[in-house]
Amino acid sequence: MTNFLPLWNIAKKNNLALLCWGAQTIWDKRRNWDEIDKDIYRDYDHDFDHVARAWERGVNQLCSEYQVPKEGGFLLWGTSKAAQYAMRLAMRCPKYFHAVYVHIPSSFDKPVLEGNNILWCLTTGEQEYGYERSLRFFQQCRALAYPIVYKAIPGLGHKDHQGCRKFGFIFFDYALTLCTAKQKRIKDRGFDKKLGLWNKEFDHPPYWGDAINQNIFSAEKFYSISSSYRIPLPNEKLAKEWKRLK
């Protein structure tokens, strides 16, 4: 309950409805989508499609009954197994989500192009058993122009982390400032689907983080980081907190 209270507070502060649901396990939490047999992955994918459609029906009914806006504005939060669930759900129902924060998910699903309209934040630990997978997932997402912020904490294993929670709340605060811009860009259709809605903020951010060496560089010195490990940091507050996370 203690970990839940900050989510309640951010919802109350921003006049947001708060919807909670449990996480299921219908996938192999020990392996990535690209580490299992193709036929088995196809079955997992098919099963989770059913879960996503059930979630969508439930949310549509709830939003209709209580006059809650539903498409394009949800903030989604998950830790551990719930993070795996959240990630898979967002990729199957991307039109509902504005921003997603996930911590220590351990295994990852295949990124889809439509996910690049969602703002993403992924935190984990360098000692977490899914660390290498998380780094590959980050790189796969960036190849699809995902607007994703990534942080791996040195020495952290599969554990919750107060600093990561704070970083997630700062990320959500940032995401909320972009709601109006998102709706305008969708309405004007002034974007390339392959580049997503956020190429301005995440292809040319003011700061870049180094996923391996944990350093931060200004936009002018982004070339100091290997292209595979460049983490876009779209504002100063996020950049400062990213560097502080240990």
Side-chain angles (χ1 to χ4, degrees), residues 176-228:
L176 287 169
T177 67
L178 297 178
C179 286
T180 301
K182 179 176 185 177
Q183 295 306 318
K184 187 177 187 304
R185 291 177 193 181
I186 291 174
K187 182 179 179 181
D188 296 344
R189 294 193 175 277
F191 64 95
D192 185 328
K193 285 187 177 181
K194 291 184 179 180
L195 297 177
L197 290 164
W198 307 112
N199 56 308
K200 294 179 181 178
E201 288 82 359
F202 284 81
D203 284 353
H204 305 285
Y207 304 95
W208 291 90
D210 184 336
I212 302 300
N213 297 310
Q214 305 288 337
N215 295 321
I216 283 184
F217 296 88
S218 63
E220 295 79 12
K221 297 182 178 180
F222 78 98
Y223 55 83
S224 300
I225 310 170
S226 171
S227 59
S228 297

Side-chain angles (χ1 to χ4, degrees), residues 34-211:
D34 54 358
E35 296 173 341
I36 60 178
D37 179 83
K38 290 183 180 179
D39 291 335
I40 294 175
Y41 175 71
R42 186 187 62 235
D43 292 339
Y44 286 155
D45 197 42
H46 181 264
D47 289 344
F48 204 92
D49 283 346
H50 282 293
V51 172
R53 286 195 292 269
W55 176 89
E56 185 174 25
R57 288 194 299 270
V59 164
N60 284 335
Q61 181 178 347
L62 184 70
C63 290
S64 177
E65 289 181 3
Y66 292 94
Q67 290 78 54
V68 177
K70 59 183 179 180
E71 291 193 7
F74 282 26
L75 305 179
L76 182 59
W77 180 287
T79 298
S80 189
K81 182 169 65 176
Q84 296 186 23
Y85 185 106
M87 170 184 34
R88 287 166 168 82
L89 181 63
M91 289 180 182
R92 286 161 177 80
C93 302
K95 68 179 182 180
Y96 290 94
F97 298 104
H98 176 56
V100 175
Y101 169 77
V102 289
H103 178 60
I104 55 170
S106 299
S107 78
F108 298 84
D109 206 354
K110 183 179 181 179
V112 297
L113 181 61
E114 293 80 2
N116 68 13
N117 290 333
I118 302 170
L119 296 160
W120 293 81
C121 183
L122 165 61
T123 58
T124 188
E126 289 186 349
Q127 300 303 314
E128 209 280 329
Y129 55 86
Y131 166 65
E132 294 294 340
R133 298 183 192 124
S134 74
L135 196 53
R136 292 203 309 272
F137 177 78
F138 166 73
Q139 292 165 346
Q140 291 163 351
C141 287
R142 287 299 293 159
L144 293 176
Y146 272 49
I148 182 170
V149 176
Y150 172 84
K151 177 69 176 187
I153 310 296
L156 183 69
H158 191 81
K159 293 182 179 180
D160 201 356
H161 188 280
Q162 185 176 357
C164 287
R165 291 199 302 272
K166 181 181 178 182
F167 189 67
F169 299 140
I170 292 173
F171 172 75
F172 273 0
D173 284 341
Y174 167 74
L176 287 169
T177 67
L178 297 178
C179 286
T180 301
K182 179 176 185 177
Q183 295 306 318
K184 187 177 187 304
R185 291 177 193 181
I186 291 174
K187 182 179 179 181
D188 296 344
R189 294 193 175 277
F191 64 95
D192 185 328
K193 285 187 177 181
K194 291 184 179 180
L195 297 177
L197 290 164
W198 307 112
N199 56 308
K200 294 179 181 178
E201 288 82 359
F202 284 81
D203 284 353
H204 305 285
Y207 304 95
W208 291 90
D210 184 336

Side-chain angles (χ1 to χ4, degrees), residues 15-32:
N15 194 30
L16 301 174
L18 188 61
L19 174 62
C20 303
W21 64 92
Q24 299 184 40
T25 302
I26 55 173
W27 57 87
D28 189 339
K29 63 183 180 181
R30 300 165 300 175
R31 292 181 289 180
N32 259 21

